[in-house]
Amino acid sequence: MLIIIFLCFGGFLAAFIDSIAGGGGLISMPVLLMSGLSPHLALGTNKFAGAFGCFSSAYRYKKSGKTNNELLKKLIPFTILGCILGVKCVLSISDTILNILVFIMILAVAIYTYFKKDLGSENTFESLTSKNIKLGIIMAFSLGFYDGFFGPGTGTFLVFALIKIYGFDFLHASANTKILNFTSNFTALILFMFNGQILYNIAIFYAISMVIGGYVGAKVAIKKGSTLIKPIFLVMAIGVAIKLIYQSV
């Protein structure tokens, strides 16, 4: 019972933060590992619960009208394709090198966001063009692939990319990120299910707490807007970077 309470609290907090600015995996994975799960079971169980938590926040954002449906229709198929290839891909690069590369990229994103004071403060999106659609497709496929085989920082990269490519503010970027993130999470979840890497008696409780956390987090983000999202985004980006370099060391 104590483990279930611990999981529910951790799941709620992880999904709450993830729905606002991404980076919830910094909390959700350690919580599962501390509960005694093996790394593979923890990863699969986390995908199961995370997909449901991601769905609840995505639903709340969709309901608020902050998502761009025309854009998402074009990007979602490439996110799915990238994720499938990512999960199935046999990597030729070591985890240590990958950790360092992602650390450098995500730290650069955090530094740029901090010094670029007006980044994501206003929604300057005008229209979809052939150029930004092509850039979006490349971004969706690449980050879908990345989420499929590695994962940490996917939400952070998505938020930043959507701001830079389309001129969204943090709120609209987070809303569209949640839809794309749910797509890759759900795709990876199906593959984990087929490989028997989910502990369902824990995953169900974890998923329920994440559903609540994701919905509440999205509701708070919509109410508070970009002024709340940007500082949390920065904190989680730095947190992911520190975690990655710690694993490498």
Side-chain angles (χ1 to χ4, degrees):
M1 180 57 85
L2 286 174
I3 291 174
I4 295 298
I5 293 171
F6 174 67
L7 284 169
C8 288
F9 176 77
F12 176 89
L13 184 62
F16 179 86
I17 291 174
D18 195 68
S19 66
I20 296 174
L26 279 178
I27 300 169
S28 61
M29 274 298 288
V31 165
L32 288 169
L33 291 170
M34 287 169 67
S35 300
L37 272 68
S38 67
H40 283 102
L41 274 176
L43 192 60
T45 302
N46 188 55
K47 281 292 182 188
F48 178 91
F52 284 95
C54 205
F55 173 77
S56 69
S57 56
Y59 172 77
R60 188 68 186 85
Y61 278 122
K62 187 86 169 57
K63 194 177 176 183
S64 73
K66 302 297 182 184
T67 57
N68 188 309
N69 297 330
E70 187 181 352
L71 173 63
L72 291 170
K73 285 176 185 177
K74 298 179 187 303
L75 300 188
I76 283 175
F78 292 94
T79 299
I80 293 172
L81 178 61
C83 186
I84 291 172
L85 291 175
V87 172
K88 289 182 173 295
C89 182
V90 177
L91 303 177
S92 59
I93 188 169
S94 72
D95 288 346
T96 301
I97 295 174
L98 190 60
N99 274 343
I100 293 170
L101 289 174
V102 176
F103 163 76
I104 292 169
M105 289 189 294
I106 210 163
L107 191 60
V109 166
I111 292 169
Y112 182 86
T113 303
Y114 177 77
F115 286 105
K116 187 74 172 175
K117 299 299 182 183
D118 60 341
L119 183 72
S121 58
E122 292 182 12
N123 188 30
T124 58
F125 174 76
E126 294 180 358
S127 63
L128 294 177
T129 64
S130 58
K131 181 181 178 181
N132 64 30
I133 288 173
K134 288 175 184 175
L135 287 172
I137 286 172
I138 293 169
M139 177 270 296
F141 177 82
S142 301
L143 289 177
F145 181 89
Y146 171 73
D147 195 30
F149 76 77
F150 193 59
T154 302
T156 305
F157 287 132
L158 277 170
V159 169
F160 184 77
L162 288 170
I163 290 173
K164 293 300 294 179
I165 296 172
Y166 298 102
F168 291 137
D169 58 15
F170 270 97
L171 177 57
H172 287 80
S174 292
N176 288 287
T177 287
K178 274 299 131 204
I179 305 294
L180 294 174
N181 219 176
F182 167 71
T183 301
S184 59
N185 272 348
F186 189 74
T187 303
L189 165 63
I190 292 172
L191 294 172
F192 274 110
M193 288 175 71
F194 279 119
N195 285 281
Q197 294 296 334
I198 300 171
L199 197 62
Y200 290 99
N201 59 341
I202 286 179
I204 290 170
F205 287 103
Y206 212 41
I208 292 170
S209 66
M210 281 195 166
V211 166
I212 298 169
Y215 189 87
V216 173
K219 191 173 182 180
V220 170
I222 292 165
K223 186 177 180 180
K224 298 292 183 181
S226 296
T227 53
L228 171 71
I229 298 173
K230 186 172 183 177
I232 296 179
F233 172 85
L234 276 169
V235 170
M236 297 313 292
I238 293 169
V240 172
I242 293 171
K243 179 177 182 288
L244 291 172
I245 201 66
Y246 174 78
Q247 285 177 190
S248 298
V249 173

